[in-house]
Structures are given as structure tokens and as C-alpha cells.
């Protein structure tokens, strides 16, 4: 590996940043796995399965960034997010012993928001790639485009789930400025 073209600043902060995104990737994978169990056989199964495959691929790409930059992976952060995802299953949703329709909406909303955050993280790493050629800029461009497509799908899905939960038309939200 070559040295950075123009040394990037705050390498220790970049290590924290990348590890935070790795931890979030772990939580996203866990959430989509749970959603797949809930939505098995439904119209959401195939797109959720594709999303899961893409999330795993993205996590592998983030791990490649950590290796390229010599950033140690902080396993405790990933473990913490994994545990937190399990704890959120006990959240209050209006029902104590059964799954609420609100759970579906909250999960799709959370995923849409998380994918926007993930896309921002890939964009930040793409900016860093301008000053550090150890980072694969083309791979980050691919990940940014993929995250944008995921967000588009999740936005449509959460609108459908909101309409199914509370009534109304999913298209009614499109006039608010969209995505």
C-alpha cells in the first residue's frame, strides 16, 4: 500500500468514526434479520433479503477500509450495538405480549433514517479518499449509490406501512418534498 497522497488530518478521529459506522452496520444487520423473520412470506421478504445481503457487503467494505488505513476494529462497539438492538425488542409499543403493527412502522422508519446516516458516512469517507489513496474511491461511489437506492425503497416501504397501519394513501406524502 502506498502512503497517503496528501495526509489526512485527525487519524484518531477517523478511527472512531469508522468504528462507529461498523457498529451501526452490525445493528442494521441484526434488525433486518429480525424483520426477515417477521416478514417471511410477505411482499417485504425479497427486498429485505436483498438489503441484508447489501448490508453485509457494506460491512465488509468498511472492514476493508479499516485494514487499508491500519485502524483497529473496536469489537466492544459492535457488541454494544448488538446488545442494544436486542434490548430494543422490549420497547413499549402499546402491547406487552404481542407484536404491534406500530413495530413494523417504527422499524421501517428507523431503517430509512439509518440508511441516510450510512450514506452520509460513505460520503464522508469518499471525501477522505480525496486525500488518502489507500481508500478505494470507486468502491465508495458504488456504496453511496447503493445506499441512495436503499433509502428510496425504504421511503416507499415506510409510507406503505404507515398507510396500512393508520389509513390514508402512501402517495399523499410525496407532495411534501419527497425524499
Amino acid at each position: 500500500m502506498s502512503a497517503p497522497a496528501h495526509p489526512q488530518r485527525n487519524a484518531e478521529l477517523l478511527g472512531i468514526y469508522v468504528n462507529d459506522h461498523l457498529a451501526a452496520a452490525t445493528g442494521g444487520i441484526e434488525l433486518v434479520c429480525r424483520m426477515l423473520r417477521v416478514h417471511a412470506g410477505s411482499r417485504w421478504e425479497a427486498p429485505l433479503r436483498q438489503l441484508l445481503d447489501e448490508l453485509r457487503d457494506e460491512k465488509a467494505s468498511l472492514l476493508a477500509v479499516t485494514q487499508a488505513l491500519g485502524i483497529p476494529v473496536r469489537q466492544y462497539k459492535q457488541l454494544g450495538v448488538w446488545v442494544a438492538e436486542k434490548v430494543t425488542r422490549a420497547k413499549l409499543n402499546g402491547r406487552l405480549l404481542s407484536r404491534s403493527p406500530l413495530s413494523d412502522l417504527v422499524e421501517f422508519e428507523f431503517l430509512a433514517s439509518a440508511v441516510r446516516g450510512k450514506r452520509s458516512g460513505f460520503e464522508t469517507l469518499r471525501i477522505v479518499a480525496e486525500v488518502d489513496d489507500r481508500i478505494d474511491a470507486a468502491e465508495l461511489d458504488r456504496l453511496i449509490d447503493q445506499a441512495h437506492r436503499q433509502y428510496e425503497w425504504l421511503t416507499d416501504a415506510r409510507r406503505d406501512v404507515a398507510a396500512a397501519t393508520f389509513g390514508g394513501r402512501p402517495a399523499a406524502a410525496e407532495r411534501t418534498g419527497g425524499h
Side-chain angles (χ1 to χ4, degrees):
M1 284 181 212
S2 61
H6 305 286
Q8 43 104 332
R9 295 185 294 260
N10 298 309
E12 68 285 347
L13 296 178
L14 183 61
I16 293 168
Y17 185 80
V18 172
N19 270 287
D20 287 350
H21 278 275
L22 270 172
T26 299
I29 289 167
E30 288 299 312
L31 175 57
V32 173
C33 285
R34 173 175 32 146
M35 291 174 74
L36 272 167
R37 288 189 296 276
V38 170
H39 297 287
S42 78
R43 68 183 178 134
W44 304 120
E45 182 178 11
L48 283 169
R49 192 159 305 286
Q50 178 180 342
L51 179 61
L52 179 61
D53 291 342
E54 291 171 355
L55 292 176
R56 288 176 172 154
D57 172 62
E58 292 163 0
K59 185 175 178 182
S61 292
L62 280 173
L63 286 168
V65 168
T66 65
Q67 290 176 334
L69 297 176
I71 295 171
V73 174
R74 304 294 182 205
Q75 296 296 334
Y76 68 89
K77 286 188 177 197
Q78 293 185 56
L79 178 62
V81 170
W82 181 86
V83 169
E85 191 280 331
K86 303 298 183 222
V87 170
T88 61
R89 294 178 188 198
K91 71 184 178 307
L92 295 176
N93 59 12
R95 296 186 181 171
L96 293 177
L97 300 176
S98 64
R99 185 172 169 84
S100 165
L102 188 56
S103 296
D104 290 340
L105 180 58
V106 169
E107 288 170 350
F108 275 101
E109 285 181 348
F110 180 80
L111 271 178
S113 297
V115 166
R116 277 187 92 165
K118 171 184 69 177
R119 185 179 71 192
S120 294
F122 293 148
E123 290 170 352
T124 296
L125 289 173
R126 180 60 178 88
I127 292 166
V128 176
E130 292 291 303
V131 295
D132 195 329
D133 65 1
R134 297 174 295 173
I135 300 174
D136 185 345
E139 173 67 357
L140 288 166
D141 289 341
R142 181 186 75 80
L143 295 174
I144 291 165
D145 291 343
Q146 181 170 283
H148 182 73
R149 183 186 43 72
Q150 292 167 351
Y151 179 72
E152 295 283 324
W153 173 74
L154 285 164
T155 295
D156 291 340
R158 74 172 168 75
R159 288 174 177 169
D160 287 348
V161 172
T165 303
F166 299 118
R169 295 175 302 109
E174 290 177 13
R175 63 191 187 116
T176 63
H179 314 292

